[in-house]
Amino acid sequence: VQLQASGGGLVQPGGSLRLSCAASSGSTLNYYALAWFRQAPGKEREAVSCISARDDSTYLADSVKGRFTISKDNANATVYLQMNSLKPEDTAVYYCATRVEREGNFCWYPMEYEFDQWGQGTQVTVSS
């Protein structure tokens, strides 16, 4: 499955953005774990959020809990990341990623190396 991320941009602190990640035409997300990672300048890529295919359980990094929400629309094969109360430290390139998840839960603590399909990044800049 190919992924296409969108929705990034420039926003002031305290603002909101919604990132979207659409799977290629004809794809279904029913058996895929879906994750968002981000990479800030000079830092390693980190997991932000993930939603499991098996039970729709979600993971949120401590730094975004209470501010970000992950959701998916199976009918449209799209996963979303709603980002509220954005902070300058949220500035990064955001990537969506996926992998087949028929056993286990890869969203319990998502690891970059476990996801084998990646979308292109979308830049999020939080600045006044």
Side-chain angles (χ1 to χ4, degrees):
V1 60
Q2 293 182 329
L3 303 174
Q4 180 74 32
S6 62
L10 173 64
V11 63
Q12 292 186 343
S16 298
L17 283 174
R18 188 176 79 158
L19 304 184
S20 300
C21 180
S24 51
S25 178
S27 298
T28 176
L29 301 178
N30 292 344
Y31 303 105
Y32 288 84
L34 300 156
W36 288 96
F37 291 79
R38 68 184 180 186
Q39 187 167 22
K43 295 187 177 181
E44 293 185 353
R45 194 176 300 185
E46 63 175 352
V48 176
S49 189
C50 190
I51 184 165
S52 173
R54 304 194 67 208
D55 57 6
D56 286 346
S57 60
T58 60
Y59 164 87
L60 285 169
D62 287 344
S63 59
V64 305
K65 281 181 180 177
R67 301 187 298 121
F68 290 13
T69 304
I70 189 170
S71 62
K72 66 177 180 177
D73 181 344
N74 283 331
N76 292 311
T78 301
V79 61
Y80 303 97
L81 186 67
Q82 178 67 43
M83 306 186 297
N84 299 328
S85 302
L86 282 161
K87 304 176 180 180
E89 51 264 44
D90 295 317
T91 295
V93 178
Y94 285 70
Y95 300 88
C96 57
T98 189
R99 62 153 295 143
V100 172
E101 188 186 55
R102 295 186 183 273
E103 295 182 354
N105 185 332
F106 291 93
C107 289
W108 179 76
Y109 191 80
M111 301 294 289
E112 181 180 353
Y113 69 88
E114 293 178 325
F115 289 79
D116 54 8
Q117 299 293 328
W118 292 76
Q120 90 293 358
T122 184
Q123 176 71 46
V124 172
T125 302
V126 185
S127 175
S128 56

